[in-house]
Amino acid sequence: MRGKRTTTGAAVLVGALAVTGLAFAPTAVAVTPTTATINAGCGLFGGGAATLTATQSGTSATITLTSTAITTPLALAKDSIASKLTMVKASGGTTVFTGTKNPAMAAGAPVTIGPLSGTVAPGDRLEFYGGSLQMTVFGISVTCTASAKQSPGPFVFS
């Protein structure tokens, strides 16, 4: 009987270690790179360097734009900017990310837009250059466009 208990105990221990290993296994990053730099002109908001940060969960993705060079001309309340980010697909066409997510910002403050939500497919390669960010504030539309490709390159979704 002792042999059977030892075997059963060893099997339970191996199973527990396997489950623990799965629980602590690192999660795979679905999009690469996760950040990219652009140089954009945004009309009333000014222009300059900005960072795009991308995340992905299955076919859902988000992109957030942050910049100390692009600033808000007026104080803005939290979630008051309706934004539409159009990214260009390497295979042709575009992917659109939308939302009304932004922190409260004082006049002259650096801009943060997002996370904006969109849908991606495995293998999508998305680039801001050739696309745009349209922000609507108090009924006024402001459009940002890039003067060069993003660095280090397009976002690649898996």
Side-chain angles (χ1 to χ4, degrees), residues 48-138:
T51 300
L52 297 173
T53 303
T55 66
Q56 180 185 5
S57 178
T59 60
S60 297
T62 65
I63 297 181
T64 301
L65 178 139
T66 56
S67 176
T68 57
I70 301 168
T71 59
T72 173
L74 305 167
L76 299 172
K78 179 180 179 185
D79 300 336
S80 63
I81 304 173
S83 301
K84 176 182 169 185
L85 173 66
T86 303
M87 301 286 286
V88 176
K89 287 184 181 182
S91 60
T94 59
T95 297
V96 176
F97 296 80
T98 60
T100 56
K101 296 290 185 189
N102 63 274
M105 295 177 271
V111 168
T112 296
I113 303 295
L116 305 176
S117 301
T119 303
V120 295
D124 276 355
R125 299 173 64 83
L126 303 180
E127 164 74 56
F128 184 77
Y129 185 66
S132 65
L133 170 63
Q134 183 177 21
M135 300 176 284
T136 303
V137 184
F138 305 124

Side-chain angles (χ1 to χ4, degrees), residues 5-15:
R5 280 188 186 161
T6 303
T7 304
T8 302
V12 169
L13 178 62
V14 168

